[in-house]
Amino acid sequence: MRKRLGIIFLIIAALISGCSSVPQDPPQETGTENATDRADPNVEKATPSAEEAASNEEGKNSEATFKDVTGTEISVDLPVEKVACLTEICVDALVELGLKPAAVTAGGLAPEPEFYGEEAASLGQIGGSFFEPNLEDISLAGPDLVIGLEGTHEGLREGLAGIAPLYIVQPKSMLESIEFLQHMGQLTGKVAEAEAAEKRLLDKFNYYKEHSPKDKTALVMYGSDVNFGIDTAGSLVGSVLAEVTQYPWPAPEADGGHQAGGMAYSLEKVLENDPDYIFVETFTFSPDAQPLSEQFKRNPLWSRLSAVKNGQVHEMRTSVWASGRGTRSLGIILDEAMSIMYPELYKKAVE
């Protein structure tokens, strides 16, 4: 069983790598700082000067040079106009900026109604798998920049060398998600749009944080079968929820209180804290796969949980809750979680 669990979690960890990463700052500081006051220290030149702007008018581009999360130096001509997205935070950032990706991988955020909806079908499609996207499809999209996820896409850098620079990202907190949005705003010339999207998220987050009674407990769990994991309070989504309600699921002390993703868990441990609400992300590997909450019904411990007894187990959209990572996704997660746990508070927030 331990061997099988390890294999399952290697697969799941790769799929959601970074989707619930730990902030470097304590959770109580997450998102409370106005990220517009913090410039990206890795960007040597992200926006053109007045002289460069004049040069642009003559048909010459300015250049931005920066380092991504792997420490690799990247240079791009400004403004970046065509971006290929191998990871969903890229899709999230572009929709916030009022832009469309040059190409996206299948089955992600793009078709969701809060993103591109029916327009997603007109976007360039990248075949292959999440781990090995089709380089020819990326090339056909003619991108100026390709954005991938740390721990998954670094190996594509050599193959993309003749196509476009590869920008590897890995947000570890809500603040880092905001900083990525800011940087994309600089690179694409959409700074005002980035600032507006940041403000929408922080206004929402701070409202819920200030007004929530914080008297109910929540848990985010995920998996493809009954060998499952949870988002700890040190994860991206967990740390955000921990600010607006009770989230008694600390990251392992062995990891210094931080956890790069989720952690393997058991129903016995869940029952110890017995959460009032459970949010489930089901990873489906086949069209016939049952929702994770349905699979758990075979375990007698499942029926003993208060959330199960009270009908408060909720299957959430995996594309948003597990893969989004960006500012629009985090706003949706806040609204969906708070509308379920505190419906009266959500109604006031949207009035």
Side-chain angles (χ1 to χ4, degrees), residues 48-62 78-79:
S49 65
E51 292 180 358
E52 290 167 336
S55 177
N56 287 345
E57 292 178 1
E58 297 174 4
K60 297 179 181 178
N61 289 328
S62 61
L78 298 178

Side-chain angles (χ1 to χ4, degrees), residues 90 225 266 330:
C90 171
D225 63 18
S266 68
L330 290 174

Side-chain angles (χ1 to χ4, degrees), residues 9 12 16-22 218-223 228-242 246-252 259-265 270 279-281 283 318 320-323 330 333:
F9 271 91
I12 294 174
I16 64 169
S17 173
C19 76
S20 305
S21 298
V22 179
L219 171 65
V220 177
M221 57 192 299
Y222 60 84
F228 69 98
I230 68 166
D231 282 347
T232 70
S235 69
L236 176 54
V237 172
S239 65
V240 172
L241 293 181
Q246 293 183 39
Y247 201 83
W249 317 96
Q259 180 73 11
M263 63 180 293
Y265 226 65
V270 173
F279 301 107
V280 181
E281 303 162 3
F283 290 87
T318 302
V320 175
W321 278 63
S323 303
L330 290 174
I333 289 167

